[in-house]
RNA sequence: GGAGCUGUGGUGUAGUCGGUUAACAUAUCGGCCUGUCAAGCCGAAGACCGCGGGUUCGAGUCCCGUCAGCUCCGCCA
């Protein structure tokens, strides 16, 4: 492919292109703008001596080689302009008939996304030809030589930013989608963030240790992805939902400070912020304590936001108990960028004659309200839609009232004495022109439904600053109605708060866990806990979760074993890297920051995964397929 | 498992109350063109309207089913 002539040119210019590694700082920023081409010792440039995006006035007069993809082409007949694109950016090439007839004919044949290498002089553009929109807009290359390294079919969509194309197509041709500069920027930003995490953790003596991808399935939690074993027919590995047990075992091993940037797998339905495989920044510590862990994490995310967005984050972060978060925001991951808190109306609603309210309260439930400022412009249709929305979320209904000077315009106003009505208005800080919404149900449903309504009706202008907080004091268990047993709220290795330990068997639901979530702008970006580090407490928890001694020994024997050999007090956290990156890039979906994501139906449109396999493969594993469900 | 939205030349869209040649932009192909950078001008080709069925004299349009993508609920320790 490469002509001898080109090799010659490369040799002649070699000296100028070798990079000096010696003075490179520890932090080479591949995610930053690219300047000079760096090569290993004895390296020779192939096809290019410079990056397109790095060309500027300082190169004027020198002859350089560039290589990349043909972007926009502007053919004026005797003069052709080509935007040449590589990882670093764009550079305008000028093909002039007078600089060679053959080459010019080749240039006329160039089409979008052809791969070319060019050589020529960098010249300053005439004053009125400068393109201020382009970093390289002061200069252009007068092409003296060109080689077409590869042709390209016409791409199925434009390789440009801000494109509006079916996600189907983007995912099927993800390799082209990633050619778009904005997607490249996402990959670069992710690289920088990951590197920053590694450097930061290293500075605090954390050791990055790898844990198995082929491990054993454990009960509880998400569905496992299973991997059949050939050597042990009928047995299966599971891909890790997280390295939870391994990192605890590493604490028993005496690692003391562990972290890992690690892929995790959960076979559950997808969302904009959930993929079947995703990446965690996994952290575990011994002899460290939650306070140090909070400080460590706050320092880490503050550094991320500082380095990437130059935003100073105030520390320490706000801490809020789970109960309070639910009561005030109707969510265990409250978005604190705006107020609009839920107001508890139990004390006032009880004085009304509205059965829906009073019977909810009689039944031990709650009545809460939400004030929508300026909500009077809402149409009846919209109110019906929100009522439907509330019903879908589990509420029996949605009560509403337009606040007016004379009282409420509402189907339920007749159940409230004028004084009571004013009291409610006062408590909700509702003024004429506002809309107030009420939900009456059990405590959890009431909070959750209003929490969703709060987000749906959130004001346009939210605070621009990132709002971090720790949500703490989660319950240790919740009751699983379907299975009629208690389930761990976090995971079964979470330590109860010591003062709640005596309630463990008496009143499990009131036991608080030493667990915490890190929340940013309404998104849970991490969660962790102090772990149980003695085998007796661990065994008590397993029993409460309905595991028999035999079961827990079979499934978790190695953990109980490890905890009985001098396990240090330990705890940790896992951060959702994809979510964090998506927040840094401002993307709604983590698909944008995952190079090769799955669709909502968990398939890969590019590779066609998942796919059927050869019968021979199944035979080897001694796996028979049952008749498939109808739809397949 | 459930709900909602979307699906029309390669791409992005329009298509009225069901009415017969499915429109526009852009990309593509051909021609012209020496300073463009969303280049311009002229011309050509390109769709059986996601798929299947139904209603109707007649369906891109209405109905049912289905597939795909997206969003949400359930689920996700």
């Amino acid at each position: 492919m490469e002509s001898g002539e080109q090799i010659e040119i490369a040799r002649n210019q070699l000296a100028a292109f070798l990079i000096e590694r010696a003075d490179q700082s520890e932090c080479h920023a591949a995610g930053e703008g690219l300047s000079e081409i760096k090569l290993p010792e004895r390296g020779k440039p192939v096809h290019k001596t410079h990056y397109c995006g790095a060309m500027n006035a300082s190169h004027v007069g020198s002859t350089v080689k560039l290589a990349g993809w043909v972007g926009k082409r502007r053919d004026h007949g005797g003069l052709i302009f080509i935007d040449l694109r590589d990882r670093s950016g764009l550079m305008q090439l000028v093909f002039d008939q007078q600089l060679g007839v053959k080459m010019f004919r080749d240039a006329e044949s160039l089409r979008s996304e052809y791969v070319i290498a060019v050589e020529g002089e960098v010249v300053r553009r005439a004053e009125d030809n400068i393109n201020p929109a382009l970093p390289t807009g002061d200069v252009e290359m007068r092409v003296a030589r060109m080689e077409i390294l590869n042709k390209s079919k016409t791409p199925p969509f434009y390789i440009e930013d801000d494109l509006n194309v079916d996600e189907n197509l983007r995912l099927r041709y993800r390799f082209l989608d990633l050619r778009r500069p904005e997607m490249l920027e996402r990959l670069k930003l992710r690289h920088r963030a990951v590197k920053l995490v590694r450097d930061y953790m290293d500075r605090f003596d954390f050791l990055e240790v790898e844990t198995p991808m082929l491990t054993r399935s454990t009960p509880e939690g998400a569905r496992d992805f299973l991997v059949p074993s050939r050597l042990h027919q009928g047995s299966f590995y599971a891909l890790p939902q997280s390295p939870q047990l391994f990192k605890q075992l590493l604490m028993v091993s005496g690692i003391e400070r562990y972290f890992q940037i690690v892929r995790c797998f959960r076979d559950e339905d997808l969302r904009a912020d959930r993929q079947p495989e995703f990446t965690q920044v996994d952290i575990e510590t011994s002899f460290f304590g939650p306070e140090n862990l909070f400080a460590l994490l706050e320092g880490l995310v503050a550094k991320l936001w500082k380095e990437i967005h130059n935003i100073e984050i105030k520390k320490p972060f706000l801490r809020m108990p789970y109960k309070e978060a639910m009561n005030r925001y109707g969510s265990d991951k409250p978005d604190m960028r705006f107020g609009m808190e839920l107001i508890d109306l139990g004390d006032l609603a009880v004085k009304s004659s509205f059965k829906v309210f009073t019977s909810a309260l009689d039944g031990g439930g709650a009545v809460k309200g939400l004030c929508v400022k300026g909500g009077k412009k809402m149409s009846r249709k919209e109110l019906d839609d929100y009522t439907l929305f509330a019903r879908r979320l589990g509420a029996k209904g949605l009560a509403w009232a337009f606040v007016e000077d004379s009282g409420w315009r509402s189907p339920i106003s007749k159940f409230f004495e004028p004084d009571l009505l004013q009291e409610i208005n006062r408590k909700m800080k509702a003024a004429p022109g506002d809309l107030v919404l009420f939900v009456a149900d059990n405590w959890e449903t009431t909070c959750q439904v209003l929490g969703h309504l709060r987000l749906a009706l959130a004001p346009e202008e939210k605070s621009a600053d990132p709002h971090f907080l720790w949500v703490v004091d989660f319950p240790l268990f919740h009751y699983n109605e379907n299975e009629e047993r208690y389930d761990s709220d976090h995971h079964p290795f979470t330590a109860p708060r010591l003062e709640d330990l005596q309630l463990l068997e008496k009143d499990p639901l009131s036991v608080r866990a030493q667990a915490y979530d890190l929340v940013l702008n309404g998104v849970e970006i991490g969660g962790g806990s102090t772990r149980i580090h003695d085998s007796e407490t661990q065994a008590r928890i397993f029993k409460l979760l309905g595991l028999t001694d035999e079961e827990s020994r079979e499934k978790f024997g190695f953990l109980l074993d490890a905890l009985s050999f001098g396990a240090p007090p330990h705890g940790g956290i896992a951060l959702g890297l994809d979510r964090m990156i998506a927040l840094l890039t401002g993307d709604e979906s983590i698909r944008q920051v995952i190079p090769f994501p799955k669709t909502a139906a968990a398939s890969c449109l590019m590779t066609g995964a998942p796919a059927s396999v050869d019968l021979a493969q199944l035979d080897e594993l001694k796996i028979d397929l049952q008749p498939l469900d109808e739809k397949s």
Side-chain angles (χ1 to χ4, degrees):
Chain A
M1 173 94 65
E2 185 163 81
S3 68
E5 189 180 38
Q6 275 195 313
I7 293 174
E8 177 110 6
I9 294 165
R11 284 209 184 107
N12 291 343
Q13 302 186 343
L14 182 57
F17 315 133
L18 282 179
I19 54 130
E20 295 119 74
R21 300 293 291 186
D23 64 339
Q24 290 301 304
S25 69
E26 30 125 20
C27 189
H28 159 63
E32 306 284 359
L34 295 176
S35 49
E36 69 184 311
I37 298 210
K38 297 178 182 174
L39 292 169
E41 218 179 316
R42 293 182 284 113
K44 294 175 193 169
V46 178
H47 300 305
K48 65 202 290 182
T49 58
H50 291 75
Y51 289 116
C52 292
M55 296 284 93
N56 58 44
S58 74
H59 299 94
V60 168
S62 54
T63 294
V64 302
K65 292 172 69 181
L66 299 174
W69 287 262
V70 173
K72 285 262 159 40
R73 175 173 55 106
R74 295 174 292 280
D75 185 343
H76 287 235
L79 187 71
I80 301 172
F81 298 98
I82 298 280
D83 289 335
L84 185 68
R85 186 189 71 243
D86 70 7
R87 211 183 97 183
S88 63
L90 289 184
M91 172 70 173
Q92 174 161 283
L93 310 179
V94 187
F95 291 87
D96 195 321
Q97 234 166 1
Q98 294 162 1
L99 289 174
V101 176
K102 185 194 172 300
M103 186 197 66
F104 194 80
R105 210 166 293 133
D106 286 346
E108 283 178 322
S109 77
L110 291 178
R111 293 295 180 268
S112 286
E113 302 309 312
Y114 277 29
V115 185
I116 61 171
V118 291
E119 183 187 356
E121 190 190 347
V122 178
V123 298
R124 191 181 298 279
R125 296 196 196 181
E127 202 61 42
D128 50 348
N129 287 335
I130 287 175
N131 182 353
L134 218 57
T136 59
D138 289 343
V139 294
E140 61 194 13
M141 179 201 262
R142 295 189 66 78
V143 180
R145 234 183 280 257
M146 171 180 70
E147 188 183 359
I148 297 177
L149 300 172
N150 208 349
K151 297 187 174 190
S152 169
K153 292 202 284 190
T154 302
F157 51 83
Y158 311 115
I159 310 297
E160 65 186 19
D161 288 346
D162 301 317
L163 98 168
N164 167 28
V165 66
D166 195 64
E167 189 130 352
N168 239 315
L169 262 192
R170 287 182 58 198
L171 290 176
R172 173 148 175 233
Y173 296 99
R174 188 61 158 183
F175 46 88
L176 295 180
D177 192 31
L178 294 177
R179 244 183 226 176
R180 296 163 49 229
E182 64 169 69
M183 293 304 282
L184 213 47
E185 284 311 310
R186 291 184 168 91
L187 295 183
K188 290 183 197 170
L189 187 147
R190 185 165 176 140
H191 164 86
R192 283 169 62 200
V194 165
K195 175 158 182 358
L196 192 148
V197 170
R198 285 210 162 91
D199 291 344
Y200 179 89
M201 297 306 286
D202 177 72
R203 204 164 311 136
F204 286 99
D205 297 332
F206 281 78
L207 222 52
E208 183 161 17
V209 182
E210 293 176 85
T211 51
M213 288 288 118
L214 295 176
T215 178
R216 75 170 292 162
S217 180
T218 53
E220 288 214 64
R223 275 187 209 92
D224 286 317
F225 279 101
L226 297 178
V227 181
S229 163
R230 176 180 58 84
L231 295 174
H232 302 271
Q233 289 169 347
S235 289
F236 293 81
Y237 301 98
L239 302 180
Q241 296 178 24
S242 83
Q244 182 59 37
L245 290 167
F246 289 101
K247 66 174 173 175
Q248 288 190 241
L249 295 169
L250 285 170
M251 293 304 101
V252 181
S253 305
I255 300 302
E256 297 195 28
R257 298 181 184 199
Y258 147 93
F259 87 104
Q260 188 182 186
I261 293 172
V262 63
R263 199 66 60 83
C264 304
F265 306 87
R266 292 176 192 177
D267 187 6
E268 295 294 345
D269 287 357
L270 290 84
R271 288 284 190 283
D273 62 350
R274 274 165 31 190
Q275 284 271 307
E277 53 179 310
F278 60 99
T279 306
Q280 283 189 345
V281 179
D282 196 41
I283 295 171
E284 194 75 9
T285 60
S286 303
F287 314 121
F288 204 73
E291 287 305 322
N292 284 319
L293 196 63
F294 288 170
L296 179 84
L297 268 292
E298 288 172 11
L300 175 60
V301 295
K303 199 169 167 58
L304 276 168
W305 260 258
K306 173 70 187 167
E307 295 286 322
I308 287 173
H309 286 317
N310 200 24
I311 292 175
E312 298 286 349
I313 308 253
K314 275 189 226 78
K315 295 180 285 187
F317 299 168
L318 181 69
R319 292 183 205 176
M320 188 182 292
Y322 164 82
K323 258 246 144 77
E324 184 184 340
M326 291 300 288
N327 271 322
R328 290 175 58 194
Y329 299 96
S331 169
D332 61 358
K333 45 181 197 291
D335 188 343
M336 309 289 288
R337 287 174 300 174
F338 63 101
M340 208 170 155
E341 296 187 20
L342 320 190
I343 307 296
D344 192 282
L345 299 171
D347 53 337
L348 299 176
V350 75
K351 294 188 235 168
S352 78
S353 54
F354 188 38
K355 278 253 172 51
V356 172
F357 283 7
T358 51
S359 68
L361 292 169
D362 286 345
V367 177
K368 284 170 178 286
L370 187 67
C371 177
V372 184
K373 285 284 156 203
K376 69 168 175 201
K377 45 187 182 295
M378 195 174 296
S379 69
R380 190 55 198 261
K381 168 85 171 68
E382 284 175 285
L383 273 175
D384 287 346
D385 286 346
Y386 282 115
T387 305
L388 209 64
F389 178 76
R391 285 227 176 86
R392 275 203 290 267
L393 290 167
K396 290 178 209 57
L398 182 66
W400 52 267
F402 291 107
V403 180
E404 295 176 340
D405 291 319
S406 51
W408 282 358
R409 184 158 60 83
S410 165
I412 62 165
S413 57
K414 56 178 177 271
F415 302 110
F416 296 82
E417 297 296 328
D419 282 355
L420 179 58
L421 209 142
Q422 289 310 326
E423 256 188 287
I424 292 177
N425 282 348
R426 212 171 305 128
K427 187 160 185 191
M428 297 186 70
K429 299 192 173 68
D434 294 347
L435 168 73
V436 286
L437 301 171
F438 309 99
V439 172
D441 212 301
N442 66 57
W443 175 78
E444 208 172 3
T445 303
T446 302
C447 293
Q448 277 174 6
V449 170
L450 282 170
H452 276 104
L453 284 167
R454 173 178 177 266
L455 292 177
L457 294 163
E460 284 291 311
E461 64 300 344
K462 301 188 192 85
S463 168
D465 297 327
H467 279 55
F468 288 94
L469 82 154
W470 294 101
V471 177
V472 299
D473 292 344
F474 281 89
L476 189 62
F477 303 108
H478 58 260
Y479 192 70
N480 184 329
E481 306 269 351
N482 298 333
E483 310 274 334
E484 296 186 340
R485 59 144 203 256
Y486 299 109
D487 274 351
S488 289
D489 205 72
H490 185 52
H491 59 55
F493 321 111
T494 304
R497 293 223 339 202
L498 294 180
E499 63 267 40
D500 292 355
L501 205 51
Q502 28 108 21
L503 296 167
L504 210 48
E505 283 81 9
K506 267 181 287 181
D507 185 10
L509 290 180
S510 72
V511 176
R512 287 165 301 171
Q514 298 188 51
Y516 32 81
D517 277 358
L518 180 56
V519 173
L520 168 57
N521 298 350
V523 179
E524 180 199 325
I525 60 170
S529 62
T530 299
R531 325 296 185 191
I532 297 165
H533 69 277
D534 67 288
S535 49
E536 291 96 292
T537 310
Q538 187 64 72
R540 266 172 89 189
I541 299 287
F542 284 153
K543 186 164 287 174
L544 263 161
L545 294 173
L547 285 171
T548 65
D549 281 351
E550 261 174 20
E551 280 170 327
S552 53
R553 196 140 294 283
E554 202 229 311
K555 307 279 189 192
F556 298 113
F558 60 101
L559 176 71
L560 293 170
D561 230 18
L563 293 181
S564 65
F565 281 100
H570 63 285
I573 190 166
L575 295 177
L577 183 72
D578 312 285
R579 287 183 188 176
M580 217 157 44
I581 304 291
L583 283 160
L584 282 165
T585 57
D587 285 309
E588 298 288 330
S589 166
I590 62 172
R591 281 192 309 278
Q592 290 279 27
V593 299
I594 295 176
F596 300 104
K598 307 280 190 288
T599 67
S603 43
C604 171
L605 297 181
M606 195 179 62
T607 62
S612 55
V613 296
D614 287 342
L615 277 178
Q617 289 176 282
L618 293 177
D619 278 348
E620 201 164 36
L621 298 164
K622 290 284 180 287
I623 290 179
D624 280 333
L625 294 181
Q626 292 182 6
L628 302 176
D629 291 343
E630 301 263 328
K631 65 173 182 180
S632 324

